[in-house]
Amino acid sequence: MKKNILISLLIFAAVIETFAQQISIVPLNFNTKADEFAPVVTQNATRIYFSSDRYRGQKVYSIKKIDGDWTAPELLPGDINDSKQSGSIAITPDGQYIIFAAYDHDAKSEGRTDLYSARKVNGKWVEITNLGPSVNSDYWDSQPTLTSDGNTLFFVSDRPGGQG
């Protein structure tokens, strides 16, 4: 019995090794020495949104994949970056709606860092709306994530009663 189990495990391991793919990790050509974090890949894997502090102020950038190559980073067009610091986004599966974190945004603020929404209209992110006191607090509210169906929002907060 033990011999059969051992043979089965060896066969299983050989099959797994045969079908395993080699993965290589290569930095993209847009990295700088600045803080760059919170990447979000669109559902069709043709755009990456990320936060960067490359020009002395955290902002949201994107790169596009065109003919297999990534473009140079561009600030998001529209009103998302109209704050002292903007970053950490979540995007709906259709790519038309974003939830993002911002500190001291031109739109109304509830606390230290809040979560906002924006819609994509004619290629620009507009209609910036604070998600309000049912989501935001007087404390730091950030790092949004949406479920794959776009119906549930998860985020991090340092409000009392939480875990930081």
Side-chain angles (χ1 to χ4, degrees):
M1 180 72 166
K2 287 183 182 180
K3 185 176 180 181
N4 289 342
I5 292 173
L6 181 58
I7 291 171
S8 295
L9 287 174
L10 289 173
I11 291 171
F12 179 72
V15 168
I16 294 297
E17 188 172 326
T18 301
F19 290 104
Q21 296 178 2
Q22 286 201 352
I23 298 171
S24 49
I25 298 173
V26 180
L28 295 175
N29 61 358
F30 66 85
N31 291 314
T32 66
K33 292 180 181 180
D35 290 337
E36 293 164 336
F37 56 96
V40 175
V41 180
T42 57
Q43 191 172 25
N44 62 6
T46 60
R47 186 176 293 265
I48 298 175
Y49 295 93
F50 65 97
S51 301
S52 178
D53 196 18
R54 58 183 57 202
Y55 298 112
R56 296 185 186 172
Q58 182 180 310
K59 302 295 179 188
V60 181
Y61 294 81
S62 75
I63 58 174
K64 295 185 280 193
K65 193 174 218 178
I66 299 175
D67 297 328
D69 293 319
W70 292 100
T71 62
E74 296 178 353
L75 275 171
L76 288 192
D79 302 327
I80 286 179
N81 288 313
D82 290 352
S83 63
K84 285 188 179 177
Q85 294 187 24
S86 295
S88 298
I89 72 148
I91 190 164
T92 56
D94 66 3
Q96 300 302 303
Y97 187 76
I98 280 181
I99 306 290
F100 69 99
Y103 168 71
D104 198 20
H105 197 281
D106 289 349
K108 179 186 157 217
S109 174
E110 296 288 333
R112 197 171 79 206
T113 295
D114 283 349
L115 296 175
Y116 297 82
S117 64
R119 270 185 353 106
K120 193 174 195 177
V121 176
N122 298 323
K124 291 185 178 180
W125 295 98
V126 296
E127 298 178 16
I128 306 301
T129 305
N130 186 296
L131 295 186
S134 62
V135 172
N136 292 308
S137 67
D138 291 336
Y139 299 89
W140 181 81
D141 301 304
S142 187
Q143 311 299 321
T145 299
L146 287 169
T147 54
S148 61
D149 62 7
N151 290 324
T152 304
L153 171 67
F154 293 92
F155 64 96
V156 176
S157 178
D158 66 355
R159 62 187 74 184
Q163 298 298 313

